[in-house]
Amino acid sequence: MPALQAATVAPPSRRQGLAPVPIERGEEFLTIAGEPGRYGGRLTASLHSEPKTFNPVTAVDAPSLAIIRQTIGDLIHINRFTQKAEPALAESWKISPDGKHFSLALRHGIRFSDGQPFDADDVLFSFEVFLDENLHSPQRDLLAINGKPIQVLKSGQYSVEVYLPEPDAAAERLFDSVAILPKHLLGKAYEEKRLNQAWGLDTPPDQMAGLGPFRLKQFVPGQFVKLERNPYYWKADRARRRLPYLDELAYLIVPSTDAEVLRFRAGEVDVLSPLSAENFGALSDGSHAEYQLQDLGPGLEYDFLFFNLNDLPEGGSEEMQAISKKQAWFRDTRFRKAVSLSLDREGVIRLIFRGRAAPLWAQESPGNKNWVDANLPHPARSIPEARRILKEGGFTWNDAGDLVDPAGNRVEFSIITSSSNALRTKIATLLQDDLKQLVMDVHVVPLEFRSLMDRVFQTYDYEACVLGLVTGDADPNPEMNVWLLDGGTHLWRLRHLRPPEPWEAELDRLMRQQLVTRRVPERKKLYDRVQELVAENLPLICIASPDVLVAAKSTLANLQPGVIPDYALWNADSIYFRSDAGKQP
Amino acid sequence: MKRAYGFWAALAMLAGIHVVTLAAGFFAPYDFATQDREAPFVPPVHIHFLDAARGFHSRPFVCRWVPVLGVADRFSYTEDCTQTFPIKLLVEGAPDSASGARKGNLRLLGVDAPGRLWLLGTDEFGRDVFSRLIYGGRISLFAGLLATLVSLALGWGLGSLAGSGELFLALPWLYLLFAVRAFLPLHVGAGQAFLLLTGVIGLVGWARPARLVRGIVLSAKERTYVLAARGFGASDAYILRRHIWRETRVVMPTQAALLIPAYIQAEVVMSFLGLGVGEPVPSWGNMLVSLQNLTTLAYAWWTAAPALVLAGVCLLYHQVGAHLQGQGKA
């Protein structure tokens, strides 16, 4: 009697997944704007590799962070779409006039995803953990201002006071992505000094909890990570219905972008973000009512070429001495200027990014609308001008036509790139051809990523390198460790034996100053100067900033992709399926 | 007899292919490194004999591919025959950067600028795939050939004298190649990289022919005529030279015909993985790298040309090998 059976079975949305817990009295939930959505369905996204951990304190790799971001809550959150700081677990906050003291009021009556209540003790515990030097949390650097850590004190069950050693221009942004951890689950592990081993891939999901919209349901190595609704999540829609709308959020592990596109086309993956320009092109072919493509414009990534300006020790191996000799060219600003002038940035964008990128002359992309220096000069590509500058630097072209330095050495060097990043290898191949116009003999050497990192960060055994950096926030502060003299990502010169160049010292000073300058226009002026110095001295010869491209099923509603990670899924708590389309088992 | 035709045809085709790649500077219409940034992924040129206005042309001509505007994400082109470019023989073409020349070079085919004779289209940098295929064959085919020579020489010598290469047979050669490459300096020039490739492939591969030779030596030693010669007081050196090497001479060409395609493939694999010659110097392996991308595979099928030619060359070698083996048995 199949007909009868069909009639008695409830619709899949009712049967499947865990229902949200009704809102309690006194619970200070956050109400989101917009039309209420409908419950149900599973949203499937993809990851390029497996997560390494579910531990928010120690995670550094992108797949782990992508999952952790969906399972944790922070005090103050940056809206990825508006790029503004918004209340999250802290319902409101006050800043003292000197900018060094924050009072945060926490939400009352909300619960972790295991049903246990949340209060100031959890906040205190979390900051203690993140600031603990023994745990080496990557967040620790961000919670320190000019090297001095912030202080967090409890002033009531639902209020905390935060003291900054110095005023911080963007202090409320510090709290973004600092996970508030459940003391009841992790307190013991922390006391026993084994917190870095806690919440590994083999930890049963019921021993983990967070304040994010989802919680871990199942992890199958090599295949997928499945998250389910946090039934106690602290956000609701206008109709007082608890979020998230989705029953489940799944991440398939798909090692290549090409496979990802195939699975998206087959309907197995609902969202691709970010997407490469080539694949965006492939997907935009023909009519496609079932999915939508969005080009959000240039993101916060910048791709650049840089030369090895590290102070190498005397008397190293023969190879290191050869690099040392070539550094006489690399250190000459005129040499770097000539290289920059000969680069065909438009060509890179047209051929490699299919027009979906912005050319760069300094680190800030037009995607960072509030902070990019709009008055920065954009010198056009000019081979004659590049040749003139080289001549000024004492370089000449000998009878055979080769470019030689004042000592008569042929200008020849190699650019290393990551072999796993096809786009950057292609950029290097184009640069190679551009520099041929100046008769520089350039070789492109793709290396395995880890060996590339090793050369750049440890052994300094390279001449030039094409790399990209992604800024974590649309604010100058995450850039600190690139431009400070002792910054961990001061890529071109991680090792100083000799005093810094005047402009390097100036960059350091400006970055420190902007950090403690609270008035936005003044801060902007300082950061504009940083960009000018970068464009003039070219420690990084910036090339392009790729657009953030997103593909998503048309049935998904409330998508508000932003240029900051997690591009399309940052607001997964309010995304919903318009119809039953997402409900396949 | 029918088989011999196949053999000679295969041999002639192989010889032809090798001659063309050796004289790449003449046969390739363009230089392998010249980029045309306005023309990435242009499809293969259409060769016309007829035009709308004047009908039949005895001299074939080509038209230009112009980008289709409005199709931003994929490079899309359409043929514009308002201006036609007859194909010319023996033209003064682009200088040959392989030989380091800076002035023009005599090339077999060409068309007047701004027309382009991209017989197999262009790659992502607007470089002529056909020319790169010919120049790339230089590296891939001759790496196979030279590595085989190294391998056979070593295998023959060591196989007839000492003979045991079990250790080398057991080595996972691809990983060995990775390891060897890791010890070398960051950048090696195209010439050095080529020698390195052939050296490494040849050195790693000698054990197989050595074992074969060893087998022949051992069985030949027991032959009656060898025993007879020994009875008459012939020295070891005489027997080796007079009798045993004669036996091995028959199997060597067969071995070569089997090893060459295997080694060409080894070179292609290594270059594909970025261990061979570096950009912009082409080899069939590094030309195939762009095919890893789904979009390229789907829309720029002509970039797969090296794979097709590679398959053809391997089949030809196997044809030659099969014939030689049959002859050896007879």
Side-chain angles (χ1 to χ4, degrees):
Chain A
M1 306 257 268
L4 188 69
Q5 266 176 13
T8 51
V9 170
S13 60
R14 297 277 147 71
R15 193 183 48 172
Q16 231 180 35
L18 185 76
V21 170
I23 285 169
E24 294 172 64
R25 275 188 68 174
E27 185 179 342
E28 291 180 344
F29 58 86
L30 176 78
T31 309
I32 61 151
E35 284 302 311
R38 58 200 299 275
Y39 280 118
R42 177 201 298 159
L43 177 64
T44 309
S46 59
L47 295 173
H48 285 262
S49 54
E50 282 183 20
K52 307 268 178 299
T53 178
F54 297 123
N55 187 331
V57 185
T58 57
V60 280
D61 59 301
S64 302
L65 289 172
I67 289 162
I68 288 168
R69 272 195 290 265
Q70 301 293 351
T71 58
I72 57 135
D74 43 18
L75 293 174
I76 300 173
H77 194 72
I78 298 167
N79 181 314
R80 266 52 172 165
F81 186 67
T82 62
Q83 302 185 356
K84 292 208 171 87
E86 287 180 351
L89 293 170
E91 192 191 11
S92 63
W93 64 89
K94 277 199 234 86
I95 312 172
S96 68
D98 66 357
K100 286 162 76 168
H101 173 205
F102 266 66
S103 302
L104 296 130
L106 306 179
R107 288 183 195 283
H108 288 244
I110 63 173
R111 293 172 187 278
F112 280 97
S113 57
D114 60 352
Q116 294 297 313
F118 149 86
D119 66 14
D121 286 329
D122 296 304
V123 175
L124 248 54
F125 170 71
S126 306
F127 280 92
E128 192 185 344
V129 166
F130 281 111
L131 288 168
D132 190 330
E133 284 181 36
N134 299 322
L135 286 170
H136 303 291
S137 171
Q139 314 260 18
R140 190 174 185 280
D141 289 345
L142 303 175
L143 294 175
I145 297 159
N146 286 339
K148 285 167 274 182
I150 62 167
Q151 257 191 315
V152 183
L153 298 173
K154 177 179 170 181
S155 52
Q157 199 191 348
Y158 293 107
S159 53
V160 288
E161 311 297 316
V162 178
Y163 295 93
L164 312 179
E166 278 175 59
D168 181 338
E172 67 274 9
R173 301 179 94 92
L174 285 180
F175 299 100
D176 181 83
S177 299
V178 177
I180 300 306
L181 306 168
K183 192 178 179 187
H184 64 276
L185 289 178
L186 287 172
K188 199 159 159 254
Y190 181 58
E191 273 167 33
E192 292 169 1
K193 303 214 179 301
R194 45 177 186 82
L195 189 71
N196 14 17
Q197 289 106 52
W199 289 12
L201 298 179
D202 51 354
T203 307
D206 60 359
Q207 288 174 28
M208 295 187 251
L211 289 158
F214 297 92
R215 63 186 194 190
L216 185 71
K217 185 177 182 189
Q218 195 189 5
F219 168 54
V220 179
Q223 293 185 36
F224 63 83
V225 183
K226 205 186 274 177
L227 308 178
E228 64 179 350
R229 156 189 298 122
N230 166 6
Y232 303 96
Y233 190 53
W234 43 274
K235 286 189 193 174
D237 62 16
R238 278 195 333 220
R240 277 181 67 95
R241 294 189 310 157
R242 201 187 284 274
L243 300 183
Y245 296 120
L246 298 168
D247 287 336
E248 287 183 340
L249 176 59
Y251 289 89
L252 296 186
I253 294 152
V254 186
S256 82
T257 47
D258 298 320
E260 207 176 53
V261 169
L262 289 176
R263 300 189 86 157
F264 178 76
R265 277 217 161 133
E268 293 167 37
V269 170
D270 300 315
V271 174
L272 293 179
S273 81
L275 184 65
S276 76
E278 274 175 340
N279 285 330
F280 191 84
L283 286 174
S284 65
D285 218 32
S287 70
H288 48 82
E290 68 281 12
Y291 58 84
Q292 285 177 336
L293 298 166
Q294 244 182 306
D295 181 345
L296 308 179
L300 301 180
E301 175 182 334
Y302 53 107
D303 293 329
F304 48 82
L305 167 77
F306 65 100
F307 291 99
N308 180 355
L309 303 184
N310 288 291
D311 295 325
L312 301 177
E314 300 217 351
S317 68
E318 221 171 284
E319 282 155 42
M320 295 306 276
Q321 279 177 5
I323 295 173
S324 226
K325 235 168 99 188
K326 291 180 188 177
Q327 283 184 321
W329 317 328
F330 304 156
R331 289 211 175 93
D332 189 337
T333 314
R334 289 167 295 197
F335 180 84
R336 299 196 299 271
K337 231 174 237 173
V339 168
S340 177
L341 272 173
S342 70
L343 298 190
D344 181 10
R345 291 178 172 83
E346 297 299 334
V348 167
I349 287 163
R350 193 177 55 247
L351 293 184
I352 296 168
F353 296 107
R354 313 280 161 114
R356 298 192 182 273
L360 290 185
W361 285 267
Q363 77 277 23
E364 228 29 275
S365 107
N368 195 349
K369 293 179 188 71
N370 298 323
W371 293 101
V372 64
D373 180 1
N375 300 320
L376 200 71
H378 294 176
R381 180 185 194 213
S382 165
I383 300 296
E385 181 65 7
R387 283 180 170 249
R388 192 188 62 74
I389 291 174
L390 277 178
K391 248 183 229 159
E392 235 176 65
F395 291 87
T396 45
W397 286 268
N398 67 13
D399 299 335
D402 292 327
L403 178 67
V404 290
D405 69 2
N409 301 308
R410 265 185 81 230
V411 176
E412 174 260 310
F413 60 89
S414 52
I415 301 178
I416 55 173
T417 66
S418 158
S419 55
S420 58
N421 192 318
L423 293 181
R424 291 203 191 116
T425 308
K426 283 185 203 167
I427 292 179
T429 309
L430 280 185
L431 301 190
Q432 179 186 40
D433 200 61
D434 287 337
L435 295 174
K436 210 159 76 182
Q437 308 272 319
L438 303 176
V439 211
M440 287 185 187
D441 186 8
V442 178
H443 324 291
V444 177
V445 184
L447 291 175
E448 194 256 327
F449 188 65
R450 232 171 299 168
S451 116
L452 177 94
M453 289 287 112
D454 199 47
R455 282 174 193 265
V456 171
F457 285 95
Q458 308 288 332
T459 62
Y460 314 127
D461 179 9
Y462 70 100
E463 290 165 354
C465 175
V466 171
L467 213 62
L469 284 174
V470 189
T471 311
D473 183 15
D475 188 83
N477 284 355
E479 286 283 289
M480 291 288 284
N481 53 7
V482 181
W483 308 109
L484 295 190
L485 286 173
D486 56 354
T489 346
H490 194 260
L491 292 165
W492 66 96
R493 198 177 181 191
L494 286 154
R495 183 194 170 107
H496 285 271
L497 295 175
R498 293 184 294 180
E501 304 285 326
W503 56 266
E504 277 181 307
E506 175 81 355
L507 277 178
D508 184 278
R509 191 187 65 75
L510 288 167
M511 284 309 284
R512 286 181 199 277
Q513 202 185 338
Q514 70 79 25
L515 179 68
V516 296
T517 303
R518 292 187 61 211
R519 282 200 53 236
V520 175
E522 275 169 46
R523 199 170 162 226
K524 169 85 165 80
K525 217 180 263 171
L526 292 168
Y527 195 57
D528 280 355
R529 182 72 193 127
V530 169
Q531 293 170 62
E532 280 163 31
L533 280 174
V534 173
E536 281 164 23
N537 296 289
L538 302 160
L540 307 180
I541 301 175
C542 296
I543 302 167
S545 177
D547 289 7
V548 175
L549 306 168
V550 171
K553 283 242 178 85
S554 306
T555 47
L556 285 172
N558 252 348
L559 275 181
Q560 275 195 325
V563 295
I564 310 174
D566 260 346
Y567 314 98
L569 291 178
W570 72 272
N571 66 336
D573 54 7
S574 45
I575 293 174
Y576 64 92
F577 280 101
R578 284 201 189 88
S579 65
D580 283 339
K583 293 211 183 81
Q584 67 276 77
Chain B
M1 276 322 279
K2 201 182 165 209
R3 204 167 184 181
Y5 286 128
F7 167 73
W8 288 113
L11 212 58
M13 282 166 84
L14 280 174
I17 291 171
H18 283 78
V19 167
V20 167
T21 56
L22 264 186
F26 174 70
F27 287 104
Y30 298 100
D31 185 55
F32 58 85
T34 311
Q35 302 184 351
D36 184 341
R37 297 194 180 169
E38 303 301 323
F41 289 126
V42 170
V45 76
H46 291 178
I47 295 172
H48 300 268
F49 286 92
L50 291 171
D51 78 13
R54 286 174 297 157
F56 181 77
H57 289 238
S58 57
R59 176 181 285 241
F61 66 91
V62 299
C63 302
R64 291 186 70 191
W65 287 105
V66 292
V68 179
L69 296 174
V71 184
D73 290 299
R74 266 206 306 116
F75 301 111
S76 203
Y77 298 86
T78 177
E79 215 175 18
D80 169 22
C81 279
T82 49
Q83 199 184 350
T84 61
F85 302 91
I87 297 174
K88 293 178 174 171
L89 283 174
L90 302 177
V91 292
E92 171 96 356
D96 182 22
S97 69
S99 60
R102 291 210 163 89
K103 57 179 180 32
N105 184 29
L106 185 71
R107 292 182 186 270
L108 178 63
L109 295 171
V111 296
D112 291 334
R116 290 277 191 278
L117 190 63
W118 285 321
L119 291 173
L120 279 174
T122 65
D123 68 2
E124 59 213 318
F125 301 110
R127 300 181 295 201
D128 181 25
V129 172
F130 182 71
S131 298
R132 286 177 66 75
L133 187 68
I134 295 180
Y135 278 101
R138 259 188 198 181
I139 304 276
S140 299
L141 293 176
F142 288 91
L145 218 55
L146 282 181
T148 306
L149 280 180
V150 171
S151 205
L152 284 184
L154 272 174
W156 193 47
L158 292 171
S160 52
L161 297 176
S164 175
E166 257 71 45
L167 173 70
F168 275 81
L169 276 178
L171 280 178
W173 67 273
L174 191 61
Y175 293 95
L176 189 75
L177 295 180
F178 279 129
V180 171
R181 185 64 186 85
F183 277 107
L184 294 166
L186 202 53
H187 167 70
V188 288
Q192 279 168 294
F194 173 74
L195 288 178
L196 191 85
L197 275 174
T198 50
V200 168
I201 297 172
L203 283 175
V204 172
W206 66 268
R208 203 169 288 278
R211 196 160 70 157
L212 192 78
V213 170
R214 185 76 191 143
I216 291 168
V217 169
L218 288 178
S219 78
K221 263 185 3 197
E222 304 302 320
R223 297 270 161 95
T224 44
Y225 57 86
V226 173
L227 294 174
R230 200 177 279 284
F232 283 116
S235 68
D236 282 353
Y238 177 84
I239 291 172
L240 204 61
R241 183 163 45 84
R242 183 74 207 206
H243 297 300
I244 295 178
W245 281 353
R246 280 205 168 177
E247 293 264 323
T248 59
R249 231 165 45 194
V250 184
V251 295
M252 282 316 197
T254 322
Q255 268 297 295
L258 292 175
L259 283 178
I260 294 170
Y263 288 173
I264 293 174
Q265 286 171 40
E267 188 284 330
V268 168
V269 168
M270 280 182 75
S271 295
F272 183 78
L273 296 173
L275 297 168
V277 295
E279 289 274 5
V281 179
S283 99
W284 291 351
N286 71 21
M287 287 175 77
L288 288 173
V289 170
S290 68
L291 277 189
Q292 284 178 72
N293 183 288
L294 174 71
T295 328
T296 314
L297 195 66
Y299 297 111
W301 53 267
W302 52 91
T303 53
L308 293 177
V309 177
L310 175 68
V313 166
C314 289
L315 284 174
L316 289 174
Y317 269 114
H318 283 296
Q319 170 80 14
V320 170
H323 175 78
L324 287 175
Q325 201 177 16
Q327 220 177 32
K329 272 180 196 154

